[in-house]
Amino acid sequence: MTDVVIAGAGPNGLMLAAELALAGVRPLVLDPLPEPATEPKANGLVGQVVRLLDRRGLYERLAPGRPRPAPAFVFGALPLDLADLDDHPLHVLGVPQRRLEGVLAEHAADLGVEVRRGHAVHGLDQDGGGVTVEVDGPTGTSRVTAAFLVGADGGHSTIRGLAGIGFPGVTRDDSVSRSAHVTVPSEWVDADGGLTVPGYGRVPGFAHHRTDRGLVVFARFPGRADLVTTTEWDTPEPDDPMSLAEMRESLGRVLGADVPLAPPAGAGPHLLRRLRGGNTRLADRYRVGRVLLVGDAAHVHSGIGGPGLNLGLQDAANLGWKLAAEVRGTAPTGLLDSYESERRPAAERVVVSSQAQSALLAPGSETTALRTLVAELMAEPVVRGRIADLMSGADVRYDTGDDHPLAGRFAPDVETVGAPLAVRSRTARPLWVAPAGWPAVPGLEAVEAAAGPAMLVRPDGYVAWAGTEPDGMAAALDRWVPADEFRGGVRSVPTTPAHTPRRTS
């Protein structure tokens, strides 16, 4: 029997597979596509997922240096200046999804994960002992039995439907979005990536730009074709296939000025796409018996602000260690159930954020007045800090049973003695982070912090417990650490810190 079958070899499925492999279980990934998808999708990562990738050693494969909070971003096509905030959690990493998928596939392969492409799940049957899936593959139909099945197969998830999980929400069809890779006059593009259009003015680069007639995004990526996207409301959708001429006409309507567009240069694949409306939906459950959902299979929403991969990849990191402990038979009571209780509220907050931003983008003078008022509020640092928390996912605090301000938050990059926390986190095991004077927790990897409170850091990077006294530590160990993480299966709680050399684990 396979430990876990994952349906879907996109970023979320591959991330989950790697997390499971790090925790010592055997995942099998099935994907209906014979090869990885090549069509352009997301162009970057926004939020705490950037720090998560750093904790797994993946950030350095995608970008030089270490993650740093972004000096600026946008919210509802309004500029979000973050440079004057002392500390904020909004990190940004510009990387095409195709490149991210490649790195995650390499990471999973390095850990021995098997990915079977050209294999589509079309049926399942579960009981108390496992899940059997029916699979259509290159050589016909087969059956695979596993302890658990995870649907990471996107917004049109087959697994969600087979499991009978509802997907309530709203569908809107009052807008048309068009996207195309193009070539624009080079002299119109400035050093900051903005597009200056004669007869209109400047369109900032890499940001949603609203007019009373619609929305436009212009992005110039090094070594790749320029990308233009428009959104218009209450306009007819042509019956003909999408064309470059249609893209130019839409851009002209939104800006009120003509922008010459030529075919994209360089190797493809190139994007030329038209979409009507959009969906905002959230699975009513993330688990039915031995079937679970992650990523877009559990939630779909507007892509404004780039929240999708931040939400989905953190779903995978949250689920991976919990599901692995369940498979190994060492999970504390209720650990696997905490996946839904922690991650579904995170999805609810993304829905709030994306719908609020969509309201700020709508056409009309009423929206223009609302934007003026919101822009005035965003002049206040406290407001911009709250928005940074919302867009990064940091405004969601897990209920870990501890009331310390750090508990339930993503662990800060504290100064350590020896290897940094990001390096020590690559094994995806719980960490005991404490300054000198605290005894070790036998069986847990010890990280000596230069200062600050002691912390029990979960494999997904979140703090389960923090404090300067051991009160509550025993309960945190019982609730969050699988039994086989302790040497000899013995739990031992540190005593009150003493000014003596700390025993290492």
Side-chain angles (χ1 to χ4, degrees):
M1 177 187 289
T2 300
D3 289 335
V4 179
V5 166
I6 300 170
N12 301 318
L14 292 170
M15 183 72 179
L16 175 60
E19 293 293 293
L20 289 167
L22 284 168
V25 306
R26 297 174 297 113
L28 170 63
V29 183
L30 305 175
D31 194 278
L33 295 178
E35 300 291 340
T38 58
E39 65 183 55
K41 294 181 181 178
N43 289 301
L45 300 166
V46 179
Q48 296 194 116
V49 67
V50 177
R51 296 170 65 200
L52 171 63
L53 293 181
D54 187 46
R55 298 279 172 92
R56 292 296 184 263
L58 299 173
Y59 183 91
E60 62 192 34
R61 300 192 194 184
L62 297 165
R66 295 288 311 284
R68 294 183 179 276
F73 202 61
V74 289
F75 178 77
L78 292 168
L80 181 64
D81 185 4
L82 303 169
D84 63 337
L85 300 184
D86 293 334
D87 183 36
H88 69 82
L90 190 58
H91 293 70
V92 177
L93 173 60
V95 58
Q97 182 168 323
R98 186 179 178 185
R99 171 62 179 150
L100 174 65
E101 284 190 23
V103 167
L104 289 172
E106 293 170 0
H107 178 49
D110 291 342
L111 294 168
V113 172
E114 180 183 1
V115 179
R116 296 180 189 172
R117 296 195 175 274
H119 288 73
V121 176
H122 67 85
L124 69 86
D125 182 43
Q126 65 168 315
D127 56 30
V131 183
T132 299
V133 295
E134 297 181 5
V135 184
D136 286 333
T139 60
T141 300
S142 61
R143 296 167 68 87
V144 178
T145 300
F148 288 91
L149 168 66
V150 180
D153 51 344
H156 299 285
S157 173
T158 297
I159 304 304
R160 185 183 63 238
L162 291 172
I165 297 176
F167 205 41
V170 295
T171 296
R172 301 193 60 169
D173 61 359
D174 58 350
S175 66
V176 177
S177 296
R178 298 172 173 87
S179 298
H181 281 122
V182 300
T183 297
V184 301
S186 295
E187 63 272 18
W188 289 16
V189 183
D190 59 36
D192 294 327
L195 181 69
T196 300
V197 178
Y200 174 77
R202 188 173 187 271
V203 176
F206 303 97
H208 290 86
H209 180 71
R210 177 191 175 273
T211 74
D212 280 341
R213 297 170 295 278
L215 189 71
V216 60
V217 179
F218 173 75
R220 168 161 286 186
F221 300 97
R224 291 187 282 156
D226 297 334
L227 178 64
V228 173
T229 296
T230 61
T231 301
E232 298 178 83
W233 283 263
D234 299 320
T235 57
E237 182 179 1
D239 295 328
D240 298 333
M242 174 69 175
S243 66
L244 194 62
E246 181 183 332
M247 184 77 253
R248 181 172 181 173
E249 292 168 0
S250 176
L251 187 57
R253 289 192 297 269
V254 173
L255 295 180
D258 183 50
V259 180
L261 300 179
H270 292 132
L271 185 63
L272 190 62
R273 181 178 65 198
R274 180 201 307 128
L275 296 174
R276 162 68 70 176
N279 290 293
T280 300
R281 297 186 177 276
L282 182 59
D284 56 22
R285 292 171 290 174
Y286 278 24
R287 177 189 179 190
V288 173
R290 292 179 174 269
V291 180
L292 301 104
L293 304 176
V294 296
D296 290 354
H299 40 69
V300 295
H301 43 76
S302 167
I304 186 169
L309 287 171
N310 183 34
L311 187 59
L313 292 175
Q314 287 201 85
D315 285 350
N318 186 289
L319 176 59
W321 64 283
K322 297 173 181 178
L323 183 56
E326 191 74 18
V327 170
R328 298 195 309 262
T330 60
T333 301
L335 182 66
L336 187 55
D337 290 335
S338 72
Y339 165 61
E340 178 175 329
S341 65
E342 290 183 344
R343 294 307 298 165
R344 199 170 185 280
E348 290 172 344
R349 290 299 289 170
V350 168
V351 168
V352 167
S353 173
S354 61
Q355 289 185 324
Q357 292 184 75
S358 294
L360 288 169
L361 298 176
S365 58
E366 296 91 345
T367 302
T368 300
L370 176 63
R371 289 172 60 82
T372 299
L373 178 58
V374 172
E376 292 175 2
L377 296 174
M378 288 171 61
E380 299 294 331
V382 66
V383 175
R384 284 180 277 122
R386 288 286 299 273
I387 292 175
D389 286 347
L390 172 66
M391 299 188 74
S392 68
D395 68 329
V396 176
R397 181 181 180 183
Y398 298 154
D399 179 9
T400 65
D402 181 39
D403 60 2
H404 191 279
L406 288 176
R409 309 287 191 187
F410 198 82
D413 290 316
V414 296
E415 183 181 351
T416 60
V417 177
L421 189 60
V423 173
R424 304 294 287 274
S425 300
R426 293 183 181 183
T427 59
R429 291 193 60 211
L431 298 176
W432 170 239
V433 183
W438 277 88
V441 178
L444 297 191
E445 183 175 353
V447 178
E448 184 172 324
M455 297 186 298
L456 174 62
V457 181
R458 307 186 326 183
D460 58 355
Y462 282 78
V463 178
W465 174 91
T468 55
E469 300 288 339
D471 298 343
M473 181 67 177
L477 293 171
D478 285 339
R479 182 175 182 182
W480 297 111
V481 181
D484 55 349
E485 292 287 1
F486 296 95
R487 182 183 300 130
V490 177
R491 302 173 188 266
S492 177
V493 180
T495 58
T496 302
H499 297 290
T500 56
R502 187 168 59 83
R503 180 166 54 85
T504 58
S505 62

